[in-house]
Every structure is written in structure tokens, then in C-alpha cells.
Amino acid sequence: MLITLIRKEMMHHILGARFIALLLMCVLLIPLNLHINYHRYLQRQVDYQETVKDENSKAPAEQPWLQKQRTDPNLEVSKLILKPTPLSVFGTGLESALPSYLGMTRNGIQRGEAALSTAPIAFLLGHLDFVFVVSTVFSLLALLFTFDAVTGEKETGTLRINLANALPRDIFLWSKLIGGYLVFIVPFLVSLITGLLVLVWQGFPLSEPNIFPRVLCLIGISLLYIAVFFGIGAVISIYFDNSKTALIVAFTVWVFAVLILPRVGFLAAQIVAPTSTAESVYREKGARRSELRATLEVERNKIMGKMIQESKPGEKMTGFFRLDEAFVAKMNEKMRPLEAAARSKYRDLATQLDRRYERERKRQDKIGINFSRITPTSSFIFLATDATQTGQMKRDIYFQTGTRYYEVLDAEMFSKMSDAALIETEEISSPPSPPPLAALTLEEMLQHAALDLLLLCFFTGGFTSVAFLKFFRSDI
């Protein structure tokens, strides 16, 4: 009986106008979207390779760690350049909003421009990628497939006839959900497979072990997310007796669940937990270093004047235009403990500023993420972007790698550059190469995003259970 009802429901959808709309969306959006985004990825990859090549092929005179260029603490001695990920073809995520590189200076880490800052005007309209299409377009189509599943039967009178023939209510509702869901996901999967074949034909490395399992995971997450909105549509269809009212309510729920509430959560977090910007922290560290350098310069002038007064007539004196090596060495020796104390003070101040900023940012992010998780759309986007390596995990790894790289440079280079020496005498070697960005495995990603996965399962099971409970108690 269930199989027969499922077939009947599938034929009902296939012969309707909604299936034509779904088919057009699948055929036009998914393959074309993947094709366009892959070409954008290839362009970003070329830009990345050119930037790395330019950094590695600098002439010796252009190297910022040479003696004559050490005096400016804002000079970038090295860069950690952001490498685009192939999976950004499916979801752009935060990749275009992250700084294109992290510049290592004595004042701290300076952030390069994000891709969005030099992007075309088209980015004002948002990113059109697979994650956006599923979270926005297919969630609405899922509601349109189910908003009148039960209400339509009530209006035509067929629901009372079917239930009067001893048809179990659970069988009836399962046939509605399963039949509509199968009709929905078949064209969705076919168009997605077509899009993947187009990518492979263009050279996309789908078969790589770090890419194919993540694509499968992304597909599974998308099907689960669509099931959530089938459950929501079933609840709306059961609670209302009129199809027009159910359609209005379904569209209103979609607007709040997909467009408004996920963004309101982060707006509320900015009000509840405001933070300073990374650029303001960098400027504040630069101001503190300038203050310490000015203090060291005053102390150096005092020591120099005292040394000149104490010098004997027979010794080489310091003129206005010439200093001998013995005088410079003695001068630097006296300034060394003062500079060590100033450097220690600056490190304490810089560490304090960085930790304060990290605490503020993490608190704001945590509040915004938790607020936005009241809707399944946020959980899906968090999961999908983590699976495509363009989400918050990629951002955290990027900045953590930059911090570790800066600590290495500070130990091997910056600590050997003097702010107090009259003339630099110590030779500084070339900086170590930037470390590669680590990539979490799929298992680690799922562990990190376990809450979002559980929330999607909870939303799916919860709305489906509410639909069945309400349908069992409804007076037909």
C-alpha cells in the first residue's frame, strides 16, 4: 500500500508545474554555477602563484631585512600568502573575505587586502555558489513542494475519503513525504552529477582523497538540509486548512529562517559584545613601539653626551659627522640592557593587546554563531563551508599559522634588530619560509562541526515528529 501511494504522489508532482520549475533550477543553476566558479578558482590560483613567485624572486637589494632598511618597524620582512582551496568551487565561504596575505613586521602582523576589497561590482549581489543555491533556492522549493501536501487533500475532500477507507494516517503522511522527497532529490542529484562531470572534464581534481569524501559529505549535508524544509512544509500543511494561507505562512517562515534570523544573530552579537578591529590593534602596537623607540633615543643621546664629556683628549673623539668603531661598540654595549628591557616591555604590551583582541573576537563569534543556530540554515552553512575548507575552521587555521610564523620570525630575526644601537652591526640572515596551512581531515572536521550536524538531524526529526503528532490528533 505504501509503495502504491508513493508512486501516486510522485506522479502527482511530476505532472505538476512545480516539478518543471525544480527541473529548470537544477539544470540551469548547478552545472553552470560549478563551471563559472571553477574558472574563478583557476584565476585565483594563477594570482596566488604569481604572488608567491614575486616574493621568492626578489633581488637582494629589495630584501627588507637588509641593514639600511631595518629602521622602519612597519616593513614586511615576509608574507604568509593565502592559498585558494579547490573546494571553494562549491562554497566561497570566508575565503574571499580573508586577507590575501599576512605581512610580518616588527610591529606585528599586518593584513593584506581581501579579495572582496578589489572585487567587481557583481559581488555586491552576493556569492552564487552551490552552498548558496541549496541554502536559499532549494529550501524554498522544498517548502513549495510540501505546503499543500495535506491542505490540498482537505480542500478537494480526498483526505476524508482516503482515511474513511481504513487507510492508516501514518502510511498516508509517509507517502506524502517520501514521494515528494524522491521527486525532489532525483533531478537535484542528476544535475549535481552532471556538474561534477563538467568539472572533471575541465580538470578539477575530484578523485583526490582530500576532495572526493568532502564532496560526498557536502551532498549528504545538502540532502539532510532539504529534508528539514520538507518537515517544516509538512507541519505548515497540517496546521492550516487553506492552501493560500499555508503558502503565505510557508513563504514567511522561509524569509525568517533563511534570510533574516541567521544575520540577526550576528548583528545582535555585535551589539552585545563589540570588539576592536585588527587594524586598530596593529596601529596601537605601532604607537606603543614608537613611544618606546622615542624613549630609547632620549636615553641614547644622554649616554652619548656623557661619553663625549668623559672622553680623554688623547682618545678619538666623536665628531658631528664621524664615529669610530670603538666608540660605537661601547655605546651599543651600554644601550643593550636598556633595549632588552624596552623589548620585553613591548612584547608584554603586544601580547596583552593580541590576547584582548582574540578574547573579544572569539566571544563575539561564539555569541553570533549560537544566536544564528536557531535556524537550520546557519547550521547547514557552517557545516558546508567547513566541508569545503572555506569556513571558520579555515579562518582560524590561517590566523593561527600566521601567529606561529610571527613567533618564529620574532625569535630568529626581530629580536636581533636593534632600536637603540647607534649603527647596526649584527648580520641578519634571510627569514625562514612561511609554513604551509594545515588542513584538518574530514573526521576532524565532523568532530568540530558535530553540533551543527546534530542540530540538522534534530530539526529534521523534530519537525517530522511534530507533523505526525499533529496529523494523528487532527479532526478530519
Side-chain angles (χ1 to χ4, degrees):
M1 181 183 296
L2 178 61
I3 302 298
T4 303
L5 291 175
I6 291 176
R7 289 176 179 173
K8 174 179 174 295
E9 187 67 20
M10 292 176 65
M11 290 302 301
H12 169 73
H13 284 294
I14 290 174
L15 296 176
R18 282 174 286 192
F19 181 74
I20 303 299
L22 171 66
L23 204 58
L24 288 175
M25 290 292 182
C26 290
V27 171
L28 294 177
L29 285 180
I30 296 180
L32 182 62
N33 183 286
L34 295 178
H35 169 74
I36 294 174
N37 284 333
Y38 183 61
H39 280 278
R40 288 178 179 172
Y41 161 73
L42 291 178
Q43 184 59 51
R44 293 197 305 270
Q45 184 72 7
V46 170
D47 295 340
Y48 165 78
Q49 292 172 352
E50 290 295 328
T51 304
V52 173
K53 183 180 178 180
D54 292 342
E55 284 295 309
N56 295 335
S57 61
K58 282 185 177 178
E62 299 175 343
Q63 303 297 352
W65 59 84
L66 295 178
Q67 266 190 351
K68 61 181 180 181
Q69 295 175 308
R70 293 187 207 170
T71 55
D72 186 1
N74 291 312
L75 280 174
E76 297 171 349
V77 303
S78 185
K79 293 179 180 179
L80 177 64
I81 304 172
L82 180 64
K83 183 179 180 180
T85 174
L87 288 166
S88 61
V89 171
F90 297 90
T92 305
L94 295 174
E95 189 166 270
S96 59
L98 290 174
S100 56
Y101 69 87
L102 299 178
M104 305 298 152
T105 73
R106 296 175 68 189
N107 277 342
I109 300 176
Q110 191 170 11
R111 302 188 179 194
E113 287 186 338
L116 285 179
S117 62
T118 57
I121 303 300
F123 277 96
L124 289 174
L125 304 177
H127 298 291
L128 184 62
D129 51 33
F130 177 78
V131 173
F132 172 82
V133 169
V134 172
S135 63
T136 305
V137 178
F138 286 102
S139 60
L140 177 60
L141 290 175
L143 285 178
L144 294 179
F145 259 65
T146 54
F147 79 93
D148 63 345
V150 177
T151 303
E153 298 277 0
K154 290 180 182 178
E155 289 180 332
T156 58
T158 56
L159 177 61
R160 181 174 297 179
I161 296 173
N162 288 331
L163 296 182
N165 292 327
L167 175 65
R169 295 194 177 194
D170 57 339
I171 297 295
F172 174 81
L173 192 53
W174 274 125
S175 66
K176 290 287 182 181
L177 292 175
I178 296 175
Y181 188 72
L182 290 177
V183 171
F184 193 97
I185 65 171
V186 168
F188 171 76
L189 292 176
V190 170
S191 63
L192 180 55
I193 293 173
T194 304
L196 293 177
L197 292 176
V198 171
L199 287 180
V200 173
W201 177 69
Q202 292 177 327
F204 183 77
L206 181 62
S207 60
E208 290 188 3
N210 191 40
I211 293 181
F212 185 68
R214 290 179 178 272
V215 173
L216 290 180
C217 179
L218 179 62
I219 295 173
I221 295 168
S222 302
L223 296 179
L224 182 61
Y225 175 71
I226 292 171
V228 173
F229 280 87
F230 264 81
I232 295 175
V235 172
I236 294 172
S237 179
I238 293 169
Y239 266 86
F240 297 94
D241 296 329
N242 183 275
S243 296
K244 293 181 179 180
T245 304
L247 178 61
I248 294 173
V249 172
F251 185 73
T252 304
V253 169
W254 177 82
V255 168
F256 276 91
V258 176
L259 301 181
I260 297 179
L261 292 180
R263 293 161 178 80
V264 168
F266 285 95
L267 292 176
Q270 293 177 6
I271 298 173
V272 174
T275 67
S276 52
T277 63
E279 186 62 29
S280 65
V281 173
Y282 179 82
R283 289 197 300 267
E284 188 171 356
K285 288 194 289 186
R288 298 295 179 90
R289 178 179 280 277
S290 298
E291 293 174 3
L292 292 175
R293 290 184 70 189
T295 303
L296 285 174
E297 187 174 353
V298 172
E299 293 296 328
R300 184 181 63 195
N301 292 334
K302 289 181 180 179
I303 294 175
M304 182 186 295
K306 187 176 181 181
M307 288 177 63
I308 292 175
Q309 292 176 0
E310 293 175 351
S311 61
K312 296 179 181 180
E315 295 178 349
K316 292 183 179 181
M317 299 291 295
T318 301
F320 289 100
F321 304 100
R322 185 170 62 86
L323 299 173
D324 62 15
E325 294 182 0
F327 186 92
V328 170
K330 188 176 181 181
M331 176 76 184
N332 289 344
E333 185 66 27
K334 289 189 175 184
M335 288 299 300
R336 192 167 288 115
L338 295 177
E339 185 179 19
R343 185 183 293 122
S344 176
K345 183 177 180 181
Y346 172 75
R347 284 178 178 174
D348 292 340
L349 290 172
T351 301
Q352 183 179 359
L353 290 173
D354 288 336
R355 289 179 178 175
R356 184 191 69 187
Y357 172 70
E358 286 297 320
R359 286 196 303 267
E360 291 176 352
R361 186 183 61 80
K362 287 182 179 180
R363 181 168 179 264
Q364 187 185 82
D365 287 347
K366 187 176 182 180
I367 292 175
I369 290 171
N370 289 334
F371 279 175
S372 65
R373 277 176 172 152
I374 62 175
T375 69
T377 301
S378 297
S379 294
F380 168 73
I381 292 176
F382 295 150
L383 261 173
T385 52
D386 280 343
T388 57
Q389 298 177 323
T390 59
Q392 53 183 324
M393 290 172 57
K394 174 69 172 288
R395 181 203 61 181
D396 294 342
I397 292 174
Y398 182 41
F399 291 137
Q400 289 169 5
T401 304
T403 301
R404 289 195 298 269
Y405 183 43
Y406 178 80
E407 292 172 352
V408 172
L409 289 176
D410 187 49
E412 297 187 9
M413 292 187 64
F414 298 148
S415 61
K416 298 178 182 179
M417 297 180 181
S418 175
D419 284 324
L422 196 60
I423 296 177
E424 284 276 13
T425 58
E426 189 172 359
E427 188 69 22
I428 303 296
S429 59
S430 300
S433 300
L437 290 181
L440 297 182
T441 63
L442 183 60
E443 292 76 13
E444 292 171 334
M445 183 279 294
L446 291 175
Q447 290 176 3
H448 176 268
L451 179 58
D452 294 307
L453 183 59
L454 290 175
L455 283 174
L456 280 183
C457 295
F458 170 77
F459 283 125
T460 304
F463 285 117
T464 304
S465 300
V466 170
F468 274 91
L469 291 175
K470 176 62 178 177
F471 189 57
F472 287 151
R473 298 175 60 182
S474 297
D475 185 17
I476 306 302

